Amino acid sequence: DTAVSQTPKYLVTQMGNDKSIKCEQNLGHDTMYWYKQDSKKFLKIMFSYNNKELIINETVPNRFSPKSPDKAHLNLHINSLELGDSAVYFCASSQDARRTQYFGPGTRLTVL
Amino acid sequence: GESVGLHLPTLSVQEGDNSIINCAYSNSASDYFIWYKQESGKGPQFIIDIRSNMDKRQGQRVTVLLNKTVKHLSLQIAATQPGDSAVYFCAEILNTGKLIFGQGTTLQVKP
């Protein structure tokens, strides 16, 4: 009955590979987000989708491509992984863009 | 510009004491502020929020104070317990809907 879930929890991969992280929310929220948390715990927004439409796209390399098949899912695909992509990635959702955001448990990505 | 900052990276308190975690923000147009708690290996968890038309809001053992004049936000935790040990983030929601996080304060509770 987890509200915001992500898979996988851990992802270890080689440089140059392509990987995806999945996110699902069962809260009935309209807006979903992806955040990156670096080794110093700093959280920065990457993308935001409202009803499957992209509304926020921060300065993120175009190797990162979010995809929202429906408003309950927002997946993150990363091409040509680099060492600097190693971080914890969090998915979040909110009722709308100006309401409290609820976070998933995170996916720790390690690029070797 | 967009920035939210916390005054101290680490705060160490004795169990049972009160904790105060501070935060400064720079965007005077923000009208909604949130405190999150992040335990090791978990995602940020909502604690309490406050709108800019308020200067104080209380929850269970937590109080958030907002001083718009000096753009300062604080989180007070009463009777701090070991389970309160975590990283605490303040965050502001801009009028664009973007959530900006501060850098986080690590709260350590000594038994």
Side-chain angles (χ1 to χ4, degrees):
Chain A
D1 58 352
T2 305
V4 182
S5 59
Q6 297 177 227
T7 53
K9 186 162 175 64
Y10 299 96
L11 185 53
V12 181
T13 189
Q14 300 285 334
M15 263 194 329
N17 284 350
D18 303 338
K19 290 293 178 186
S20 291
I21 308 172
K22 295 186 177 182
C23 177
E24 176 181 2
Q25 54 94 6
N26 62 6
L27 297 166
H29 288 168
D30 286 343
T31 310
M32 295 186 73
Y33 312 81
W34 276 108
Y35 286 84
K36 180 180 180 180
Q37 187 172 45
D38 62 22
S39 57
K40 296 182 180 177
K41 298 284 190 183
F42 185 63
L43 271 158
K44 192 172 189 324
I45 190 164
M46 300 172 69
F47 301 102
S48 169
Y49 269 70
N50 187 65
N51 268 321
K52 304 195 302 174
E53 287 192 22
L54 181 67
I55 56 172
I56 293 176
N57 183 350
E58 288 297 290
T59 310
V60 177
N62 57 14
R63 297 182 294 104
F64 290 79
S65 51
K67 287 195 172 45
S68 183
D70 55 63
K71 75 173 194 175
H73 296 84
L74 181 63
N75 304 323
L76 183 65
H77 188 77
I78 316 170
N79 289 328
S80 304
L81 278 155
E82 300 178 356
L83 293 176
D85 297 331
S86 295
V88 182
Y89 292 84
F90 287 100
C91 177
S93 74
S94 62
Q95 192 170 345
D96 60 53
R98 302 192 67 196
R99 303 283 188 104
T100 300
Q101 295 179 23
Y102 295 89
F103 286 76
T107 296
R108 181 174 291 277
L109 171 66
T110 303
V111 182
L112 303 174
Chain B
E2 304 166 352
S3 72
V4 183
L6 291 171
H7 293 307
L8 286 175
T10 303
L11 177 65
S12 186
V13 300
Q14 205 69 39
E15 182 179 355
D17 287 352
N18 296 334
S19 303
I20 300 177
I21 302 172
N22 294 306
C23 179
Y25 64 94
S26 63
N27 194 321
S28 54
S30 297
D31 63 0
Y32 184 39
F33 303 87
I34 307 171
W35 281 100
Y36 283 93
K37 171 186 180 183
Q38 186 178 21
E39 295 174 281
S40 181
K42 297 183 178 179
Q45 177 188 0
F46 170 83
I47 302 174
I48 193 168
D49 58 3
I50 189 167
R51 299 242 171 232
S52 60
N53 61 353
M54 303 171 70
D55 52 21
K56 181 178 179 179
R57 190 159 188 232
Q58 286 185 290
Q60 189 176 13
R61 282 201 307 118
V62 294
T63 300
V64 55
L65 298 177
L66 175 63
N67 185 331
K68 294 181 288 295
T69 303
V70 295
K71 297 183 197 168
H72 184 269
L73 195 66
S74 69
L75 177 70
Q76 300 177 1
I77 305 173
T80 313
Q81 302 168 0
D84 295 327
S85 295
V87 179
Y88 289 81
F89 294 93
C90 64
E92 59 179 322
I93 294 187
L94 306 182
N95 51 14
T96 56
K98 186 174 166 184
L99 183 67
I100 305 293
F101 278 90
Q103 292 189 328
T105 290
T106 300
L107 178 64
Q108 297 174 338
V109 182
K110 296 179 286 187

